[in-house]
Amino acid sequence: MALASSVGGFEQHLSAATGRSAHTVRAYVGDVVSLLDHAARLGATTPDDVDLVVLRSWLAKQRTLGAARTTLARRASAARVWSAYCQRAGLRADDPAVRLASPSARRGLPAVLSADQALRLLRPADEEPVSPRAAALACRDTALLEVLYATGARVSEICGLDLPDVDGERRLLRVFGKGAKERSVPFGVPAEQALRAWLARGRPELVTARSDTALFLGARGGRLDPRAVRGLVHARARDAGVPDVSPHGLRHSAATHLVEGGADLRSVQELLGHATLATTQIYTHVTAERLRSAYAQAHPRA
């Protein structure tokens, strides 16, 4: 079927030509499969049959099913990318999705830890490891958390690091972000010390033939999975008695603390790997909100 056959080429296009992350590729392909299933129910048999009416009715159906604004915005984006791909690939004559409007994704203020809470989360656990393997995992967890907070990097970026990406002398990480864009990210002395300990005492204990040059390893010696990191951060937040936070929450926290400390937005943008300054500007709202909260609690005329 012509509709179904367009999905394979679209997936290859996303992976090879656009440089999108594996997570984005999966999400976009899933969205397009949903769109084409809806179109087939309406009688479409080829990409040419998926016109603006079909696209709008699909989004309307998603809305009635309770999809969030952010989800609707992503699905509309997936439809636009698929439609443009079909036109370029000669699967359709025009591109109706250029006229497809979608709700803007409302950006809420990200939840962040205070600087004191972040330090409590980073503090190593008190219990003594019961085996060399447990000691190695504890060493890895300390280094991992320090690097996440020190750099503000995405969890996928940290898990994708290889040994040559660490410049210990200059305290820099070579990070590959969205669209495979490379950037250099500095880290501080605590992260440097934790990394040195991990490389000297922890990693050699876990390394196997599967390890290759991965910087951070899982318990079985393979490259560390982002899901394991999320579980670690949630567990450490619980054990430290701080508000629940994800690795992305640590990224938000690091950025907020940089802005609060006087870093200019352009530098924070480069550090985080944001494509536009508009994305970074949300952290000025976060710090303003925290200032407003402190004012309300402390000022006699608040």
Side-chain angles (χ1 to χ4, degrees):
M1 185 177 178
L3 280 178
S5 64
S6 72
V7 177
F10 176 63
E11 184 173 5
Q12 290 180 352
H13 165 73
L14 286 177
S15 302
T18 67
R20 285 180 166 84
S21 70
H23 175 77
T24 301
V25 170
R26 284 194 301 271
Y28 272 32
V29 169
D31 291 339
V32 168
V33 168
S34 170
L35 165 62
L36 299 186
D37 180 64
H38 175 79
R41 291 174 189 273
L42 296 178
T45 58
T46 70
D48 240 342
D49 297 329
V50 184
D51 57 16
L52 189 59
V53 173
V54 172
L55 292 169
R56 286 173 173 167
S57 67
W58 173 63
L59 283 181
K61 181 181 178 182
Q62 305 302 310
R63 191 179 295 113
T64 60
L65 292 175
R69 291 172 67 91
T70 51
T71 302
L72 289 172
R74 190 202 69 219
R75 287 179 178 166
S77 175
R80 283 191 287 268
V81 175
W82 173 80
S83 183
Y85 157 75
C86 286
Q87 184 187 35
R88 285 196 299 271
L91 300 177
R92 64 177 308 138
D94 62 348
D95 180 7
V98 294
R99 292 178 288 147
L100 181 66
S102 62
S104 59
R106 259 195 212 112
R107 292 183 65 87
L109 297 180
V112 297
L113 300 177
S114 68
D116 287 342
Q117 289 169 338
L119 293 179
R120 282 163 55 191
L121 182 140
L122 295 175
R123 193 173 299 136
D126 292 331
E127 63 267 17
E128 286 292 323
V130 296
S131 68
R133 190 173 189 77
L137 290 171
C139 189
R140 179 205 65 189
D141 293 349
T142 298
L144 183 63
L145 290 170
E146 285 285 359
V147 170
L148 276 170
Y149 179 63
T151 63
R154 301 175 180 91
V155 63
S156 58
E157 295 171 344
I158 295 298
C159 290
L161 289 171
D162 289 312
L163 294 172
D165 296 328
V166 182
D167 184 343
E169 299 250 338
R170 296 189 297 164
R171 295 209 300 267
L172 288 174
L173 290 181
R174 182 177 60 177
V175 172
F176 293 90
K178 292 184 177 180
K181 292 180 180 176
E182 179 182 334
R183 69 184 191 277
S184 293
V185 183
F187 55 90
V189 173
E192 177 197 17
Q193 294 172 341
L195 271 175
R196 286 187 186 278
W198 159 243
L199 292 174
R201 302 193 302 273
R203 191 178 184 279
E205 186 68 32
L206 299 179
V207 72
T208 67
R210 302 173 54 217
S211 304
D212 197 22
T213 60
L215 175 61
F216 288 112
L217 306 178
R220 297 181 180 179
R223 185 179 296 274
L224 187 62
D225 187 273
R227 288 173 296 182
V229 181
R230 293 186 186 100
L232 164 66
V233 175
H234 286 303
R236 287 292 284 266
R238 183 183 63 247
D239 294 343
V242 302
D244 188 33
V245 68
S246 66
H248 213 69
L250 271 185
R251 173 175 164 87
H252 288 318
S253 301
T256 302
H257 300 161
L258 280 165
V259 174
E260 288 179 336
D264 65 275
L265 281 181
R266 189 68 69 183
S267 297
V268 177
Q269 176 194 359
E270 292 181 10
L271 182 75
L272 298 180
H274 286 160
T276 66
L277 192 60
T279 307
T280 317
Q281 285 174 334
I282 191 171
Y283 297 111
T284 63
H285 302 311
V286 173
T287 53
E289 198 65 26
R290 289 160 72 96
L291 183 62
R292 189 176 293 111
S293 175
Y295 178 88
Q297 292 179 15
H299 198 286
R301 292 287 193 184

